[in-house]
Amino acid sequence: MYFLLSQLSLMDLKYLSTTAPKMVFNFLSGQKGISFLGCGVQSFFFLLMACSEGLLLASMAYDRYVAICHPLHYCIRMSKRMCVKMIVGSWILGSINSLAHTAYALHIPYCRSRAINHFFCDVPAMLPLACMDTWVYEYMVFVSTSLFLLFPFLGITASYSRVLFAVYHMQSRDGRKKAFTTRSTHLTIVTFYYAPFVYTYLRPRNLRSPAEDKILAVFYTILTPMLNPIIYSLRNKEVLGAMARVFGIFSSMK
């Protein structure tokens, strides 16, 4: 779990670095432009982090499921080699998906206004500017969202449901209460990440609203990456103890 948490922290850091600095710069400077190449780079890394984190969260849910529901098989099912495969697979599949979407978006002929009605280069916000029929690509977006976001979310929900069912039959009331609180918090954060994504990318273009898309994007680009370290790490006593020891070393050096 700690190995997976380190990767989640890395993804969240890169996730925020992809959109937030440019957004803050544009807001403070009043300049709202971005180069065509910069737009492509931002789109690539945003999609990479989004898809990879979606798969990683599903891997973490599976890890908790095995630890609670099959504790005697945990060392076999969740070996270090298996964790590495999960992480590498998340990065590779996310990279392939991101590269395909970004390459297509950059080769679409744009003959209308170049003003993107969004605070970052989101591909669905770029499609209305194209001067060609993009229904094939919109179908690709639907399939990609289902594979990388909808199905993992359903898997996480099923995993946590099984975990909560097992916790419900625990003998210790305090342990049961603690487990319920922790899992419900995790599931809430996961919902904040997946639900806006799925709702935004699975809707047909004629049902989308740019203002609504921007509000929903705040959840999966800013809010969830900020809350993940608090929910998954800082509520863990071992992590808090490690942080206390590290800060104690720094304070003693001063």
Side-chain angles (χ1 to χ4, degrees), residues 9-230:
S9 300
L10 177 63
M11 287 183 181
D12 284 335
L13 180 62
K14 291 186 176 182
Y15 208 161
L16 285 170
S17 302
T18 301
T19 57
K22 182 62 177 176
M23 179 184 64
V24 173
F25 174 79
N26 289 344
F27 178 76
L28 296 178
S29 65
Q31 302 177 7
K32 299 182 179 181
I34 186 172
S35 65
F36 189 72
L37 178 61
C39 185
V41 171
Q42 187 183 63
S43 176
F44 172 79
F45 281 103
F46 166 74
L47 292 173
L48 169 60
M49 295 303 123
C51 297
S52 300
E53 183 162 332
L55 296 176
L56 183 66
L57 288 173
S59 300
M60 294 174 65
Y62 175 75
D63 174 83
R64 293 298 85 196
Y65 163 75
V66 175
I68 295 176
C69 299
H70 302 281
L72 298 180
H73 297 157
Y74 183 79
C75 294
I76 299 176
R77 294 192 183 185
M78 289 302 299
S79 62
K80 188 174 182 180
R81 183 177 182 181
M82 177 60 68
C83 288
V84 171
K85 287 182 178 180
M86 287 181 172
I87 293 172
V88 173
S90 299
W91 283 106
I92 291 177
L93 292 176
S95 300
I96 295 174
N97 180 72
S98 176
L99 183 62
H101 283 285
T102 304
Y104 186 90
L106 293 182
H107 285 83
I108 294 177
Y110 296 99
C111 56
R112 303 177 187 176
S113 170
R114 296 294 181 95
I116 302 175
N117 195 356
H118 216 299
F119 58 84
F120 70 98
C121 288
D122 193 19
V123 173
M126 299 165 61
L127 293 182
L129 308 179
C131 54
M132 59 174 287
D133 190 2
T134 58
W135 72 270
V136 176
Y137 178 69
E138 291 179 14
Y139 179 75
M140 290 174 54
V141 172
F142 178 86
V143 174
S144 177
T145 304
S146 299
L147 292 176
F148 286 90
L149 295 173
L150 181 59
F151 291 158
F153 176 68
L154 295 177
I156 291 174
T157 304
S159 173
Y160 276 12
S161 299
R162 183 65 182 85
V163 167
L164 293 176
F165 180 78
V167 169
Y168 178 77
H169 291 84
M170 291 175 59
Q171 298 296 327
S172 173
R173 180 179 297 180
D174 293 336
R176 187 165 59 240
K177 181 179 179 181
K178 180 180 178 181
F180 270 123
T181 303
T182 303
R183 298 304 156 209
S184 61
T185 306
H186 288 186
L187 191 58
T188 301
I189 295 301
V190 166
T191 303
F192 276 162
Y193 179 77
Y194 282 100
F197 248 131
V198 173
Y199 181 72
T200 299
Y201 284 81
L202 291 186
R203 283 182 301 165
R205 187 196 297 183
N206 57 345
L207 298 180
R208 290 175 184 161
S209 168
E212 189 178 35
D213 286 349
K214 285 185 281 188
I215 294 174
L216 292 173
V218 173
F219 283 91
Y220 55 78
T221 59
I222 299 176
L223 184 62
T224 304
M226 289 176 59
L227 292 178
N228 274 339
I230 299 174

